[in-house]
Short mmCIF file of all heavy atoms in Angstrom, two decimals:
data_model
loop_
_atom_site.label_atom_id
_atom_site.label_comp_id
_atom_site.label_asym_id
_atom_site.label_seq_id
_atom_site.Cartn_x
_atom_site.Cartn_y
_atom_site.Cartn_z
N ALA M 28 -10.81 7.52 8.50
CA ALA M 28 -10.93 7.28 9.94
C ALA M 28 -11.33 8.57 10.66
O ALA M 28 -12.14 8.55 11.59
CB ALA M 28 -9.62 6.75 10.50
N LYS M 29 -10.79 9.70 10.23
CA LYS M 29 -11.16 10.99 10.82
C LYS M 29 -12.64 11.29 10.60
O LYS M 29 -13.34 11.75 11.50
CB LYS M 29 -10.31 12.11 10.23
CG LYS M 29 -8.89 12.12 10.67
CD LYS M 29 -8.16 13.28 10.01
CE LYS M 29 -6.69 13.31 10.36
NZ LYS M 29 -5.99 14.42 9.72
N ARG M 30 -13.11 11.03 9.38
CA ARG M 30 -14.52 11.31 9.07
C ARG M 30 -15.44 10.41 9.89
O ARG M 30 -16.46 10.85 10.41
CB ARG M 30 -14.78 11.14 7.57
CG ARG M 30 -14.22 12.27 6.72
CD ARG M 30 -14.72 12.21 5.29
NE ARG M 30 -14.41 10.96 4.62
CZ ARG M 30 -13.25 10.71 3.99
NH1 ARG M 30 -12.31 11.63 3.95
NH2 ARG M 30 -13.05 9.56 3.40
N VAL M 31 -15.08 9.14 10.00
CA VAL M 31 -15.90 8.20 10.78
C VAL M 31 -15.92 8.62 12.25
O VAL M 31 -16.97 8.60 12.90
CB VAL M 31 -15.37 6.76 10.62
CG1 VAL M 31 -16.02 5.82 11.61
CG2 VAL M 31 -15.60 6.26 9.20
N ALA M 32 -14.76 9.02 12.78
CA ALA M 32 -14.70 9.45 14.19
C ALA M 32 -15.60 10.65 14.43
O ALA M 32 -16.30 10.73 15.42
CB ALA M 32 -13.26 9.77 14.57
N ALA M 33 -15.58 11.61 13.50
CA ALA M 33 -16.42 12.80 13.65
C ALA M 33 -17.90 12.46 13.54
O ALA M 33 -18.72 12.95 14.31
CB ALA M 33 -16.03 13.84 12.59
N ARG M 34 -18.24 11.59 12.60
CA ARG M 34 -19.63 11.23 12.38
C ARG M 34 -20.20 10.45 13.57
O ARG M 34 -21.33 10.65 13.97
CB ARG M 34 -19.74 10.41 11.09
CG ARG M 34 -21.14 10.26 10.58
CD ARG M 34 -21.24 9.66 9.19
NE ARG M 34 -20.41 8.50 8.97
CZ ARG M 34 -19.36 8.45 8.12
NH1 ARG M 34 -19.01 9.52 7.44
NH2 ARG M 34 -18.67 7.35 7.96
N ARG M 35 -19.41 9.57 14.13
CA ARG M 35 -19.89 8.73 15.24
C ARG M 35 -19.71 9.39 16.60
O ARG M 35 -20.06 8.82 17.62
CB ARG M 35 -19.15 7.40 15.24
CG ARG M 35 -19.49 6.55 14.05
CD ARG M 35 -18.88 5.20 14.17
NE ARG M 35 -19.19 4.40 12.99
CZ ARG M 35 -18.63 3.25 12.72
NH1 ARG M 35 -17.72 2.74 13.53
NH2 ARG M 35 -18.97 2.58 11.65
N LYS M 36 -19.11 10.56 16.61
CA LYS M 36 -18.85 11.27 17.85
C LYS M 36 -18.07 10.40 18.85
O LYS M 36 -18.33 10.38 20.05
CB LYS M 36 -20.14 11.79 18.48
CG LYS M 36 -20.93 12.67 17.53
CD LYS M 36 -21.78 13.64 18.25
CE LYS M 36 -22.62 14.52 17.38
NZ LYS M 36 -22.16 14.93 16.13
N ASN M 37 -17.12 9.66 18.31
CA ASN M 37 -16.27 8.80 19.12
C ASN M 37 -15.23 9.66 19.82
O ASN M 37 -14.33 10.20 19.19
CB ASN M 37 -15.60 7.75 18.23
CG ASN M 37 -14.83 6.74 19.04
OD1 ASN M 37 -14.13 7.08 19.97
ND2 ASN M 37 -14.95 5.48 18.65
N THR M 38 -15.35 9.80 21.13
CA THR M 38 -14.49 10.72 21.86
C THR M 38 -13.02 10.30 21.81
O THR M 38 -12.14 11.16 21.76
CB THR M 38 -14.93 10.85 23.32
OG1 THR M 38 -14.93 9.56 23.93
CG2 THR M 38 -16.29 11.48 23.41
N VAL M 39 -12.73 9.02 21.84
CA VAL M 39 -11.33 8.57 21.79
C VAL M 39 -10.71 8.96 20.46
O VAL M 39 -9.65 9.57 20.41
CB VAL M 39 -11.23 7.05 22.03
CG1 VAL M 39 -9.80 6.58 21.80
CG2 VAL M 39 -11.69 6.70 23.42
N PHE M 40 -11.37 8.62 19.36
CA PHE M 40 -10.82 8.95 18.05
C PHE M 40 -10.80 10.45 17.82
O PHE M 40 -9.89 10.98 17.18
CB PHE M 40 -11.59 8.26 16.93
CG PHE M 40 -11.25 6.81 16.80
CD1 PHE M 40 -12.22 5.84 16.92
CD2 PHE M 40 -9.94 6.41 16.57
CE1 PHE M 40 -11.91 4.50 16.81
CE2 PHE M 40 -9.61 5.08 16.46
CZ PHE M 40 -10.60 4.11 16.58
N ASN M 41 -11.78 11.17 18.32
CA ASN M 41 -11.77 12.62 18.17
C ASN M 41 -10.59 13.25 18.90
O ASN M 41 -9.98 14.20 18.41
CB ASN M 41 -13.08 13.24 18.65
CG ASN M 41 -14.15 13.13 17.59
OD1 ASN M 41 -13.88 13.27 16.41
ND2 ASN M 41 -15.37 12.86 18.01
N LYS M 42 -10.22 12.72 20.08
CA LYS M 42 -9.05 13.22 20.77
C LYS M 42 -7.78 12.94 19.98
O LYS M 42 -6.86 13.74 19.98
CB LYS M 42 -8.95 12.60 22.16
CG LYS M 42 -9.93 13.17 23.15
CD LYS M 42 -9.75 12.54 24.50
CE LYS M 42 -10.75 13.09 25.49
NZ LYS M 42 -10.62 12.47 26.81
N ILE M 43 -7.75 11.80 19.30
CA ILE M 43 -6.57 11.45 18.51
C ILE M 43 -6.48 12.32 17.26
O ILE M 43 -5.45 12.92 16.98
CB ILE M 43 -6.59 9.96 18.12
CG1 ILE M 43 -6.43 9.08 19.36
CG2 ILE M 43 -5.48 9.66 17.11
CD1 ILE M 43 -6.68 7.62 19.10
N PHE M 44 -7.55 12.41 16.50
CA PHE M 44 -7.49 13.02 15.18
C PHE M 44 -7.81 14.51 15.15
O PHE M 44 -7.40 15.22 14.27
CB PHE M 44 -8.43 12.30 14.22
CG PHE M 44 -8.00 10.90 13.93
CD1 PHE M 44 -8.84 9.84 14.18
CD2 PHE M 44 -6.75 10.64 13.40
CE1 PHE M 44 -8.45 8.55 13.91
CE2 PHE M 44 -6.34 9.35 13.13
CZ PHE M 44 -7.19 8.30 13.38
N HIS M 45 -8.57 14.99 16.09
CA HIS M 45 -9.00 16.39 16.06
C HIS M 45 -8.49 17.12 17.30
O HIS M 45 -9.27 17.63 18.09
CB HIS M 45 -10.53 16.48 15.98
CG HIS M 45 -11.08 15.85 14.75
ND1 HIS M 45 -11.66 14.61 14.78
CD2 HIS M 45 -11.08 16.24 13.46
CE1 HIS M 45 -12.04 14.27 13.56
NE2 HIS M 45 -11.70 15.26 12.74
N HIS M 46 -7.19 17.14 17.47
CA HIS M 46 -6.62 17.85 18.61
C HIS M 46 -6.77 19.35 18.40
O HIS M 46 -7.12 19.82 17.33
CB HIS M 46 -5.18 17.44 18.84
CG HIS M 46 -4.25 17.77 17.72
ND1 HIS M 46 -4.28 17.14 16.51
CD2 HIS M 46 -3.27 18.70 17.64
CE1 HIS M 46 -3.36 17.66 15.71
NE2 HIS M 46 -2.73 18.60 16.37
N ASN M 47 -6.48 20.11 19.42
CA ASN M 47 -6.77 21.54 19.41
C ASN M 47 -5.78 22.37 18.60
O ASN M 47 -5.71 23.58 18.77
CB ASN M 47 -6.83 22.06 20.85
CG ASN M 47 -5.52 21.85 21.58
OD1 ASN M 47 -4.52 21.44 20.98
ND2 ASN M 47 -5.52 22.12 22.86
N ALA M 124 -1.63 6.28 21.63
CA ALA M 124 -2.27 6.79 20.41
C ALA M 124 -2.74 8.19 20.76
O ALA M 124 -3.92 8.44 20.93
CB ALA M 124 -3.42 5.90 19.98
N VAL M 126 -2.04 12.62 20.45
CA VAL M 126 -1.41 13.80 19.87
C VAL M 126 -0.96 14.64 21.06
O VAL M 126 -1.76 15.03 21.90
CB VAL M 126 -2.38 14.60 18.98
CG1 VAL M 126 -1.73 15.90 18.53
CG2 VAL M 126 -2.79 13.76 17.78
#
Side-chain angles (χ1 to χ4, degrees):
K29 288 180 183 180
R30 286 191 302 274
V31 169
R34 194 170 47 246
R35 292 187 181 170
K36 304 206 181 327
N37 186 318
T38 57
V39 173
F40 283 121
N41 279 322
K42 285 181 181 179
I43 293 170
F44 293 123
H45 299 102
H46 63 290
N47 60 7
V126 173

